[in-house]
Amino acid sequence: MIPPIHGWQRIYRVEASRITRVATLASVVVALVVGLAIPASYLFLSYRAAGTLLDHESEEVALRVAKRIYLNPVLWRFEEHRLRDLLADYEWPDGPLNVTIVDADGSVVADNGHRVPSPQVMASAPIRVPGAPAVTLVARASLRGVIYRGIPAA
């Protein structure tokens, strides 16, 4: 025979089940936050580091191209083979690095010819030389290496 449940025992059981549900929900939320926040923050920081590195690389290449333009501000556009040689010297840790020189009209002056798989990160650096038209250097690199390194963190 089951003993009768008094009023205070019924309240205790209801409160205990409510506390159990709240504690279970809180633990699930904490586990999800920790489980998703660590890989997401790693990927975010890796993406920012890749963008910063690409910014630095594009400024370095733009400086070398600006020196080439400064030597011949009128005919530099026709020295495509020398410009390609300047652009071919740079590598990206996770694969090919596409570097393109674009003039003010948006037409491509020189390109190193590397094709970069998606997803990509892009950086641009202006090339300013007195007496020469405005030119922009655009660099693109793949983020696949960042993503592949982030998978084990998940």
Side-chain angles (χ1 to χ4, degrees):
M1 177 164 166
I2 301 175
I5 299 176
H6 299 291
W8 65 272
Q9 289 175 336
R10 184 174 295 129
I11 292 171
Y12 175 74
R13 285 186 182 173
V14 169
E15 290 296 322
S17 66
R18 191 176 300 154
I19 289 172
T20 304
R21 276 185 273 152
V22 169
T24 303
L25 181 65
S27 64
V28 167
V29 167
V30 167
L32 284 174
V33 166
V34 169
L36 295 176
I38 291 173
S41 62
Y42 176 80
L43 286 174
F44 175 73
L45 291 174
S46 297
Y47 172 75
R48 289 202 44 191
T52 303
L53 179 63
L54 190 61
D55 282 339
H56 174 73
E57 288 288 328
S58 64
E59 289 173 5
E60 187 177 328
V61 176
L63 182 62
R64 291 184 66 188
V65 171
K67 288 179 183 177
R68 171 55 57 191
I69 294 172
Y70 183 76
L71 292 175
N72 195 352
V74 177
L75 298 175
W76 69 271
R77 178 181 301 266
F78 303 106
E79 298 178 348
E80 292 180 21
H81 61 284
R82 289 188 180 150
L83 293 173
R84 279 197 199 110
D85 289 343
L86 284 175
L87 302 180
D89 290 343
Y90 293 93
E91 286 294 322
W92 186 249
D94 296 327
L97 176 67
N98 176 268
V99 184
T100 306
I101 300 172
V102 181
D103 65 3
D105 299 332
S107 61
V108 175
V109 177
D111 189 358
N112 67 353
H114 296 295
R115 297 294 161 238
V116 178
S118 294
Q120 299 176 357
V121 62
M122 184 182 83
S124 63
I127 301 172
R128 294 184 182 98
V129 176
V135 181
T136 304
L137 185 127
V138 179
R140 290 181 185 87
S142 178
L143 288 174
R144 285 187 181 182
V146 171
I147 293 171
Y148 293 153
R149 283 191 305 273
I151 289 173

